Every structure is written in C-alpha cells, then in structure tokens.
Amino acid sequence: MSNSPVALITGSTSGIGLAVAQGFAKAGYAVMLNGLGTPAQIDEARALVAAHGVAVDYHPADLSQPEEIEAMVRATAARFGQIDVLVNNAGIQHTARVEAFPVDKWNAVIAINLTAAFHAQRLVLPSMQARGQGRLINIASVHGLVASVEKSAYVAAKHGILGLTKVTALENAESGITCNAICPGWVLTPLVQKQIDARAERDGLSNAEAERALLAEKQPSLRFTRPDDIAAAALFLCSPAADNITGTTITLDGGWTAR
Ligand code: NAD
C-alpha cells in the first residue's frame, strides 16, 4: 500500500509511455508500468522510474487480451490500494492501403489502440466513481482528428478513442472524474523511427534526410514534439487547474492540424 497518488500507465516500457511514467514519478506518483520488452528493457524502465524515489511495479499484460487487462487493473489496485490516474498509452502502427491491409493487423491495431482503452476504463471507473475522483487520459494522436494514407486501422482507432473519451467524460461529468485525450503529432520514438527507416529505404535517403522529409510533409514546426512535453500535458490534466476540463483534447502537433 502507498500514500502517494497512483498512476497506471499502459505501454510504458518505451517512448511516450516511459516519459509519462517518469514525469508522474517525478511528481510523486507511485507508478504501475506495463508494456512489452526484454527483461533488460523492463528493468531499465523500472530503474528510471524508481530513481525518483517512488514505488514502482510492472505488469506484463498483453493489452490485446481483455482478461490480462483485468488482471493488470486488479494487480494495480492490490499493490497500491487505488488507481488515481489511468493513462491509456499503448499503441501500435501498421501501414498498408485499405485493399491490402492484413486483417490480422487491423484486428491487432483496433484491439491495442482502442479496445484496450475501453476495457481499462470500464475496469477502473467503478472505484473512481465510489471515491468521487479520478483522471482518465487517452494518448490519441493527430490521427484522431485528421487522416493520412495507409493508416486506416490506426486512424480509425484514434478517431474511435476520441469518441470514447467524450462519452466517458459525459457519463462522469458530475462525478469528480475527468476524461481527456492528448493528440501528439510526430514524436521521435521507436514507433516513428520504424516509419523513418521505411522512408529512408524506400527513397534512398539518410536517416537525417528521411526525418526532415517526414516532418516537412506534416508538421509545420519542422521539429518533433518531445516525449517529456506529453508527460507535462498529462500532468496538467491531473492538476487542480484542470478539474473542469473534460471530454476534450490537448494537441501537441507543431501546427499539423492547423492547415
Ligand atoms: P512505442 O512503440 O515507443 O511504445 C509503445 C508502447 O506500447 C511500448 O511500451 C509497447 O511495449 C507497448 N505495447 C505495444 N503493444 C502492446 C501490447 N499488446 N500490450 C501491452 N503493451 C503494448 O510508441 P510511442 O510512439 O511511444 O507511442 C505511444 C502512444 O502514443 C501510442 O498510442 C501512439 O499511437 C501514440 N502516438 C505516438 C506518436 C509518435 O509520433 N510517436 C504520435 C501520436 C500518437
């Protein structure tokens, strides 16, 4: 058990989720990590979070499996006593045109990027409602607001999670619980590095040239959003100043969706 507020952050062994976990730990939250990775990666994530002097644990739930999500939520409540903040962050990408999109990839993207957030929310909500407080944060994407070619499953899932965010916000509007989404543009993480690698190979570019081309196509600021900036936005949504912000999005996209 712990007296600190508690954050359950999915997909926090890498990228944005790991930065969010570190941000919450720095702010004094006990953290339940989750995500895939080698034992060394998981140990490293645990050590980075524990370095802030807070309690940290890790749950290996595969978020494509609803019963594993249930086990993760149960384990978090058992370990820390309560869940104050749920950050649905885990996500995967697959690119192909609709007519060529592998059905198993479609199902996996929808399961991990959308359905897992529904399950995690439905499982944490009753105890948040009983306590009259809670923060639900969904890491969506600019692709929840606009589309790009070859990302049908990802764009559908991210538009879907914005819908889920609004409904959950409305259903809990008087309960002391808020539900919001964060919509990043390009953030340099392993998920995006794969797309840079594919572009470099396809167009015969160096890594730096492929990065510039990727940014120039979509993100007018021509620079990546930092993972720490996503953590700061999530922490803001948990601050007293944000207690009447619900059902909306914070977009950190360097102007992507402004044009
Ligand atoms: P990442 O690949 O670095 O991290 C993804 C995390 O999800 C990892 O911890 C991974 O282990 C976990 N994960 C994947 N499949 C899982 C599963 N089945 N069960 C449990 N965990 C699983 O990617 P990222 O860029 O940090 O992405 C994090 C979130 O941010 C995603 O939802 C992504 O869509 C979103 N996002 C990223 C960007 C970007 O530019 N990087 C932009 C907009 C939105």
Side-chain angles (χ1 to χ4, degrees), residues 10-18 34-37 59-65 88-93 108 112-113 139-143 154 158 182-195 219 224-225 227 230 256:
T10 70
S12 44
T13 51
S14 168
I16 292 170
L18 180 53
N34 155 262
L36 311 178
H59 195 279
D62 173 349
L63 301 181
S64 64
Q65 307 300 316
N88 285 309
N89 165 78
I92 58 169
Q93 178 64 281
I112 294 162
N113 295 21
I139 306 300
S141 167
V142 284
H143 285 116
Y154 188 86
K158 295 300 187 181
I182 293 176
C183 292
W186 291 127
V187 185
L188 190 53
T189 67
L191 182 141
V192 166
Q193 187 60 50
K194 281 185 208 148
Q195 296 172 60
Q219 195 143 302
F224 291 103
T225 297
I230 312 293
W256 180 325

